[in-house]
Each structure stands twice: as structure tokens, then as C-alpha cells.
Amino acid sequence: MQPELTLFSTIAGTGSALPERIVTNHELAERIDTSHEWIVERTGIHQRHLVSEGQNTSDLACAAALQAIAASGIDAVEIDLVVVATTTPDLVFPSVACLVQQKLGIVNRCPAFDLQAVCSGFIYALSTADNFIRAGQARCALVIGADVMSRITDWNDRSNCILWGDGAGAVVLRASDTPGVLATHLHADGRYRDLLHAGSAPDGGGCAVRMQGNAVFRFAVRTLDEIVDETLEKNGLQKDDITWLVPHQANIRIIEATAKKLGMSMDKVVVTVDRHANTSAASVPLALDTAVRDGRIKKGDTLLLEAFGGGFTWGSALIKWMV
Ligand code: ACO
């Protein structure tokens, strides 16, 4: 039998999860040579949520997924694709997606896999699931961004340990007759490993993020400028057609630069970096869920989601909010 063809996908519900433990800048300043004022001025971050011993990426991913499933009103058995964006899987294998599938009791043998594009991971995962649905290969996808960045952070490296937080965000993406995901645009440039990478330390120590923050900052601002132009141009939109900017939450100064590029006032930008810090693949869906649950995002709104991360990778998703 030929698969039933559907041209579009739409987000039916969102969810998110944060570890209970909150670590403030003041607490970090007791351990490393930094200050609350420096962190707020350079990044906009006031606090981050960090996992406790024994809490893993799949735990956060499942909690976020359960919320998204409840919000979308589907039954978990309807899910026929699980995609998890993560850089910090519980294990090398099985994937977090397979762990989530098992924990949620999805026993219908649907495909489940992880995808790694660091902070751009959720945009990549959303684009992948959208394409599965457009191709008629799935009708109800669970798309998750989840990371426990604290496990790959060198807590003695003040130049970047202040940036990271842990969390997860999820959406249920369903086949629909009308377009919810209007377009996605993905890019990567693999020449910049020296500026941002995580791998085993040369001294044989554990895996830790190493970043030349200033150079990454400049590259991120320039690249996000370009993706805004590309997204508007390729979809025949003007800046004021965008109702909400839902950006990756890396640094408030990067977010402000993108808002300025769009000619948008900051009250049309979803900002969670102050409370969540940079949760990598979780950051965009966490911000999305926050603004959906507090009622800012309404039916008919047009959203621009964007992210930039290690690789380098970057991308955008243009969404018409349909629920
Ligand atoms: N507290 C106090 N001082 C500090 C700290 C700290 N935590 N960290 C660095 N400094 C000092 C530096 O030593 C330097 O001192 P010097 O002038 O005496 O040499 C000074 O502050 C300025 O350092 P910079 O690195 O130039 O600071 P900058 O303003 O660039 O801020 C930051 C650093 C916050 C890391 C910023 O560069 C940034 O946000 N970069 C982009 C991060 C990002 O978006 N990454 C991409 C996504 S992440 C991913 O995909 C995994």
C-alpha cells in the first residue's frame, strides 16, 4: 500500500523540563574567579538549572515529552517517529530516542534516533521530522531537544562554564492539511573546530567544551543576521510579518543583535537565557514552551526560530502557530 501523502506538518503541543536544582551566579562566584555582575553584563544569565547525580538527558527528555503529548491531546501509541537532538546522550548507545521510546512505552517499533548539531540540534530535528511527514513516512512525530551540558563542562574554566544549563524541550509534530512548519533552513561549516569543540582533553581528562568565546560570538552574530535575511527572502516575508522571535538562548547580546536586525522590539522576543542559561539543543524548545504556556504565542502568530552552535551549525524554522 502506498503511504498516505500529506504535504504539511504542524506543531500540536509543546512541553519542557528543567532540573530542580538552581545554581546562581553568586554560587559560581564562590568557586571561580568571576562575579554576578560580570556574568549578567556579558551574557544576561542570572542562574541555571543543573541535574543532580543520577539524573540523565533521557529523564529530562521524557518529562518534556510527556508534557508535549498531554498538551497535544494525542495518545503516545500514535507516535510513529522519535527524534532527539542531543550532544550529551546518557550512553554512547542506545540513543536517547530509544531510551525515551522504551520509557514512554511506545512499543509500535517506530523509528527512533538521535541527531547531533549541538545548539542548533532542535532546528535540525524539527526540519528532519517535518521532512519525514512531508514525505508521507510519518504522521505523528515526537521531536525533543535535550542536553545535560553540565556533564561536559570544565567547572574550572571561567571563560565558558558560566554559560551552560541543563534542560529539555519537546514538541509533537503532526501531519496536517495546512502548513504549520512553513519552512526550515539549515547550514553547517566544518572549518571552525578550533573555535568551539568538545572532546577528550589532551591530558586524558574528561570531555569538556573548549571555546574561543569572542570569535564565536562575532561569527554567531554575523551568521544569524544572514539566516534572518535568507528566511525572509526565500519565503517572501517582510520583517514585520514575524510576530515572535524564538531564538537560541546563548547570550542576551547575541539575541539583541538578531532582534535589531529584524527591527523588532525586545518585547516580541522570547527570552529565557536569564533563568535557563544556554541549554544547547533544549534552548529553543524550552523558550517556545515557555511562551506558549504563558499565553504570549497565539493562534495565527508567525514565529521565527533560530539557532547557532558548534560545528559550526546554524538554522531557522518559520512556524505558523495553529493551536
Ligand atoms: N568572569 C570574569 N571575567 C572573565 C570571565 C568570567 N567568567 N570569563 C572571561 N573573563 C575575562 C577574560 O579573561 C578577559 O579578560 P582580559 O581582558 O583581562 O583578557 C575579559 O573577561 C573579556 O573576555 P572575553 O572572552 O573577550 O569576553 P566576552 O565579552 O567575549 O564574553 C562570552 C565571553 C560570554 C563567552 C562570549 O564571548 C559569548 O557569549 N560567546 C558566544 C557563545 C556562543 O554563542 N556559543 C555558541 C553556542 S554554544 C554551542 O554550540 C555549544
Side-chain angles (χ1 to χ4, degrees), residues 34 38 42-43 118-119 158 164 213-214 216 250-251 253-254 309-310:
T34 191
W38 190 95
R42 299 296 177 113
T43 70
V118 203
C119 299
R158 71 171 186 169
W164 311 111
N214 211 286
V216 174
N251 185 317
R253 293 185 291 140
I254 297 176

Side-chain angles (χ1 to χ4, degrees), residues 11 122-123 126 171 183-185 224 227 231 242 244-248 284-285 288 297 302-307 315-319 321:
I11 295 177
F122 180 76
I123 305 283
L126 189 69
V171 303
T184 57
H185 302 275
L224 290 171
I227 197 87
T231 309
I242 307 296
W244 291 101
L245 175 65
V246 187
H248 172 46
V284 170
L288 176 65
I297 292 176
T302 303
L303 321 181
L304 176 58
L305 280 48
E306 47 83 344
S316 69
L318 198 59
I319 310 285
W321 202 251

Side-chain angles (χ1 to χ4, degrees), residues 28 32-36 38-39 41-45 87 117-120 149 152 157-164 195-198 209 211-218 220-221 224 248-254 278 280-281 307-313:
L28 286 185
I32 51 167
D33 182 16
T34 191
S35 67
H36 171 71
W38 190 95
I39 299 171
E41 190 196 316
R42 299 296 177 113
T43 70
I45 296 167
T87 307
V118 203
C119 299
S120 313
M149 291 303 283
I152 58 166
D157 180 357
R158 71 171 186 169
S159 72
N160 81 67
C161 76
I162 50 134
L163 296 174
W164 311 111
L195 297 185
L196 177 57
H197 64 267
V209 177
M211 177 165 69
Q212 293 183 34
N214 211 286
V216 174
F217 184 97
R218 280 183 268 117
V221 170
L224 290 171
H248 172 46
Q249 310 285 321
N251 185 317
I252 191 68
R253 293 185 291 140
I254 297 176
N278 182 348
S280 197
F308 174 88
F312 290 139
T313 56

